[in-house]
Amino acid sequence: MSNLNQYAPLRFITAGSVDDGKSTLIGRLLYDSKALLSDQLLSLNKSKNNGEVIDFSILTDGLEAEREQGITIDVAYRYFSTAKRKFIIADTPGHEQYTRNMVTGASTANAAVVLIDATQLDFSRPEVELLPQTKRHSAILKHLRCPHVIVAVNKMDLLNFDESKFNAITRAYDKLAQQLGLKAVLFVPVSALQGDNIVHKSERTPWYRGEPLLAILESLPTDDEQSEKAEDFHFPVQFVLRLDQDKADDFRGYQGRIEAGEIRVGAKIRIEPNGLESRVTEIYSPNGLVQSAKVGEQVTIRLADDIDISRGDTFVAANSTTISSKQLTATVCWFDQRPLNPARKYLLKQGTQTVFAKVSEVEQILDLKTLLNSREADQVKMNDIAQVRISLQKPITATTYAQNKAAGAFILIDEATYHTVAGGMILEN
């Protein structure tokens, strides 16, 4: 593994069902890796039940309602580092009602730790049945193309670290992963409360040959698969900068973030959706003029021609195959309590573009019980994962989510309430 990957910050989330121990695991991870400040250690000591058991969840459950109800509601972000790398943790809710918050946390994650509470499963059956929210979160991770999934089988101490029960759970999740198409799945038997296999290898699992959770996280690569090819250049215009409109040589620059590819001074570009072409004359970075810029950089671009360009337009390479379209096929995760209404207009926001949209067809909905796509379901309800066809009032410039996460993702907004009702990934345009 290269030094770049070894020391690059890792963004990871915890996912799973209610009471699987996500907040406790993160608290234990911070505590055992000595990543807590003195005031946090003092709060932990005050949280001891009967003077012995520490409530590690208080480190992430920051909302008063979370502490009162004993559940995670919002996404809690925590930062810590070891000698090998830096980490950004997103503790996401397990409750079905807050699935939308889990999607938010997972959308930028390099890895996911899926917790499974081993005590909630029925081992009397020939095959262990995983909980619905475990399946839902795993399906979302697949659609969001999360590169690495680590399954932490929690509360093994309450099962006397029974290897056969751990193996039964791994077989059940392996089957789920195969049905969903999840790859790069690793399994770790843990006790978040007791600290087994979190930072240090547990002596109570001599049958487990793998590394503890922290060692696995430290070794994961963080390749974002972002294209730096010039022909994949994708630059949504965020702001048109005018310094002095009264002069004949007034400055006109186009500001934004490069979402794919690379751009150089002198390169020919095409402006979508109008299809006009021009040439790059200057590129400004936060440090001044530069000759080139690549994916992830914030820049201001000047063009040779005076063209009517506004926020929401997109610069692509002149020879790019990217086109603007008024029709999309996409996967959506529905967040709103009200079901999807095909007769209703929504606002679709993708990058810097916002347009009116209608869901013209619901092609299929994922059945979490069978993990098959149903074409007979008549409604997309809260937390459903569906494949839909979307018609737009005017064309947008986008790629598929598989090609580029930033350019292929969008949200749907209720035009009346401005609530975000769905998150989506473009499959085809």
Side-chain angles (χ1 to χ4, degrees):
M1 182 182 298
S2 68
N3 289 335
L4 176 64
N5 279 339
Q6 186 174 356
Y7 295 102
L10 182 80
R11 302 184 300 272
F12 73 93
I13 70 160
T14 55
S17 194
V18 176
D19 283 337
D20 280 347
K22 296 180 292 297
S23 299
T24 300
L25 179 138
I26 291 177
R28 171 60 79 173
L29 189 62
L30 297 173
Y31 182 78
D32 284 357
S33 61
K34 296 178 172 48
L36 296 177
L37 301 175
S38 57
D39 59 331
Q40 293 173 314
L41 287 171
L42 182 61
S43 296
L44 278 182
N45 289 328
K46 289 181 179 179
S47 74
K48 288 183 178 180
N49 300 322
N50 301 321
E52 295 182 1
V53 181
I54 297 176
D55 181 8
F56 289 104
S57 66
I58 67 169
L59 293 173
T60 55
D61 288 345
L63 299 177
E64 184 177 351
E66 293 179 325
R67 294 192 295 271
E68 289 176 351
Q69 298 177 47
I71 63 172
T72 300
I73 297 173
D74 201 2
V75 180
Y77 291 94
R78 293 293 180 268
Y79 308 85
F80 80 104
S81 61
T82 66
K84 292 187 176 180
R85 86 181 323 163
K86 296 178 180 178
F87 297 93
I88 303 172
I89 314 171
D91 181 25
T92 64
H95 197 284
E96 184 176 349
Q97 182 180 348
Y98 305 111
T99 298
R100 58 187 178 274
N101 294 344
M102 179 270 176
V103 176
T104 301
S107 62
T108 58
N110 304 116
V113 178
V114 178
L115 270 84
I116 295 177
D117 181 352
T119 65
Q120 294 190 46
L121 304 181
D122 183 3
F123 294 97
S124 64
R125 305 175 61 179
E127 291 186 2
V128 171
E129 181 70 24
L130 300 174
L131 298 179
Q133 196 68 340
T134 303
K135 296 180 181 180
R136 179 178 284 107
H137 281 191
S138 299
I140 291 170
L141 291 173
K142 164 58 182 175
H143 287 296
L144 290 174
R145 300 178 67 84
C146 184
H148 305 281
V149 176
I150 303 165
V151 179
V153 181
N154 194 22
K155 305 184 185 180
M156 287 296 296
D157 54 314
L158 300 180
L159 298 180
N160 296 318
F161 294 95
D162 189 322
E163 181 183 6
S164 64
K165 291 181 179 178
F166 173 76
N167 290 338
I169 295 173
T170 61
R171 286 194 298 271
Y173 197 92
D174 265 333
K175 182 178 179 180
L176 171 68
Q178 290 175 12
Q179 289 176 301
L180 292 175
L182 275 175
K183 299 179 180 178
V185 179
L186 297 172
F187 298 93
V188 187
V190 304
S191 169
L193 191 61
Q194 302 294 331
D196 295 271
N197 291 325
I198 302 298
V199 172
H200 307 291
K201 194 168 175 61
S202 174
E203 295 180 355
R204 298 194 283 183
T205 56
W207 43 265
Y208 173 62
R209 304 300 182 189
E211 297 289 335
L213 178 63
L214 180 60
I216 293 173
L217 292 171
E218 286 178 329
S219 65
L220 290 179
T222 56
D223 298 327
D224 287 332
E225 298 180 354
Q226 292 179 309
S227 172
E228 296 184 9
K229 297 178 181 178
E231 58 267 27
D232 293 333
F233 177 63
H234 193 100
F235 178 81
V237 176
Q238 184 172 358
F239 184 73
V240 180
L241 181 64
R242 299 290 300 276
L243 296 185
D244 190 347
Q245 301 182 35
D246 295 329
K247 294 183 179 179
D249 59 346
D250 64 300
F251 182 97
R252 184 194 296 262
Y254 307 99
Q255 296 182 322
R257 180 181 187 273
I258 300 175
E259 300 296 356
E262 182 184 25
I263 192 65
R264 293 182 175 274
V265 172
K268 290 184 178 181
I269 59 104
R270 189 174 78 245
I271 299 99
E272 290 289 343
N274 59 35
L276 298 175
E277 294 188 5
S278 188
R279 179 175 54 84
V280 175
T281 58
E282 290 178 327
I283 303 172
Y284 289 85
S285 76
N287 297 320
L289 278 170
V290 294
Q291 288 300 303
S292 65
K294 60 183 180 179
V295 58
E297 295 188 47
Q298 308 278 352
V299 294
T300 301
I301 296 175
R302 295 194 71 187
L303 301 179
D305 303 289
D306 188 6
I307 301 173
D308 182 16
I309 298 171
S310 58
R311 173 183 169 88
D313 290 340
T314 303
F315 295 175
V316 298
N319 61 346
S320 172
T321 58
T322 300
I323 59 171
S324 298
S325 175
K326 294 176 66 175
Q327 299 289 331
L328 303 175
T329 300
T331 297
V332 296
C333 182
W334 196 255
F335 301 151
D336 201 23
Q337 292 183 348
R338 293 178 297 178
L340 184 154
N341 184 350
R344 190 181 185 86
K345 277 189 177 181
Y346 298 97
L347 290 170
L348 183 144
K349 180 172 175 54
Q350 183 271 331
T352 61
Q353 307 167 104
T354 303
V355 299
F356 281 106
K358 286 185 68 174
V359 177
S360 55
E361 182 183 356
V362 177
E363 295 185 339
Q364 54 193 26
I365 301 175
L366 180 66
D367 186 330
L368 288 176
K369 292 182 179 179
T370 63
L371 295 175
L372 299 175
N373 289 311
S374 171
R375 298 178 182 273
E376 298 177 359
D378 56 354
Q379 270 192 333
V380 180
K381 302 184 291 293
M382 188 172 75
N383 296 324
D384 278 347
I385 300 170
Q387 182 174 311
V388 300
R389 288 285 296 169
I390 300 175
S391 300
L392 308 175
Q393 186 182 48
K394 61 180 183 179
I396 65 168
T397 309
T399 67
T400 65
Y401 191 79
Q403 291 173 308
N404 186 279
K405 287 186 176 183
F410 64 89
I411 58 173
L412 290 178
I413 303 168
D414 188 307
E415 65 166 326
T417 64
Y418 282 92
H419 290 165
T420 300
V421 298
M425 292 74 72
I426 297 172
L427 300 174
E428 183 182 323
N429 64 340

